[in-house]
Amino acid sequence: MTNAAQLEQFLEHLVIEQQEMATEAEVTLIVQKQEQGIVRVTNDCVAMYGVAYEELDESGTEYENFFDAVLPHATFPVEVVFCGRDVLENQDSIHVMTLHDSNWQAVFEEHLLHLLNRKEVTTGKYSRSSKQTLEDFMSEFSLLMAYNFIVTRDATDRFGMLDHFCTNGKIAHFGKIDNVETSFK
């Protein structure tokens, strides 16, 4: 929306149907326009335009937890986008990799360990070591640092994300989620 008139036109004929809260995974809120579903909220997830968004509360916020939550449901190949902007200063802080199986550790070691040699890495502890490890990398590039994030996209357009700002530090799934009904009824 670029101006108030466009927003007013969009809100015209907007129907918001609220239902009683339930303890089961039932629909609690539906937003429709001209009988077309826009937003559907259940006790378990939010779906917008039929694309579901789900936060995983109990999965933890480390790399291992992220991949443990995302990969079992993924269809390979899986594109991984890593950003370490809270540690690295310039624009090449975003790195894209492809996983062909669940061995994300090997891909990270091959594509990301060299980042510990960058001059921006402030601790110097890992960058001076002759044998850098994935544990060194994960310690230096913690996913809970403000501008560090990780996003995956699998072959069926199912996404996973962990970002301190966008997901409140929780792992989120969105896109095609097989076990969540995303049609609007």
Side-chain angles (χ1 to χ4, degrees):
M1 307 297 161
T2 57
N3 61 40
Q6 285 180 318
L7 179 60
E8 200 172 294
Q9 184 180 7
F10 175 78
L11 293 175
E12 191 175 312
H13 307 296
L14 192 67
V15 177
I16 299 176
E17 175 186 331
Q18 188 167 358
Q19 301 178 5
E20 266 186 53
M21 290 294 288
T23 56
E24 301 292 319
E26 295 178 13
V27 174
T28 57
L29 177 71
I30 295 175
V31 178
Q32 295 180 325
K33 183 173 181 181
Q34 298 170 345
E35 298 182 28
Q36 177 91 18
I38 297 173
V39 177
R40 179 176 176 266
V41 180
T42 71
N43 290 349
D44 290 339
C45 80
V46 176
M48 298 181 69
Y49 297 100
V51 175
Y53 176 91
E54 170 191 34
E55 281 189 350
L56 305 179
D57 290 326
E58 304 300 325
S59 52
T61 55
E62 300 299 323
Y63 289 92
E64 295 94 337
N65 303 112
F66 176 79
F67 286 108
D68 284 347
V70 168
L71 293 183
H73 308 288
T75 303
F76 291 93
V78 175
E79 183 178 81
V80 179
V81 178
F82 161 78
C83 179
R85 188 154 290 153
D86 195 51
V87 179
L88 303 174
E89 293 174 0
N90 58 21
Q91 296 303 314
D92 64 347
S93 60
I94 296 178
H95 299 266
V96 180
M97 300 153 285
T98 302
L99 303 178
H100 295 284
D101 57 37
S102 60
N103 189 5
W104 63 271
Q105 297 94 335
V107 174
F108 269 41
E109 287 174 355
E110 180 182 346
H111 294 279
L112 298 177
L113 275 188
H114 70 89
L115 296 176
L116 293 172
N117 292 324
R118 295 278 296 265
K119 64 179 175 7
E120 300 98 321
V121 177
T122 56
T123 64
K125 176 180 174 185
Y126 310 114
S127 60
R128 307 299 176 249
S129 171
S130 59
K131 181 166 172 45
Q132 298 162 340
T133 66
L134 187 58
E135 289 75 25
D136 296 337
F137 172 83
M138 293 188 297
S139 176
E140 188 69 27
F141 290 91
S142 166
L143 287 174
L144 282 184
M145 295 174 79
Y147 296 99
N148 292 356
F149 66 82
I150 190 165
V151 177
T152 59
R153 177 183 182 180
D154 80 359
T156 65
D157 282 340
R158 186 169 194 253
F159 292 81
M161 183 174 190
L162 178 55
D163 177 61
H164 186 64
F165 293 121
C166 295
T167 66
N168 297 318
K170 296 179 181 176
I171 296 169
H173 285 154
F174 54 99
K176 298 188 180 222
I177 300 176
D178 294 335
N179 62 350
V180 176
E181 181 185 329
T182 58
S183 62
F184 298 103
K185 294 180 179 177

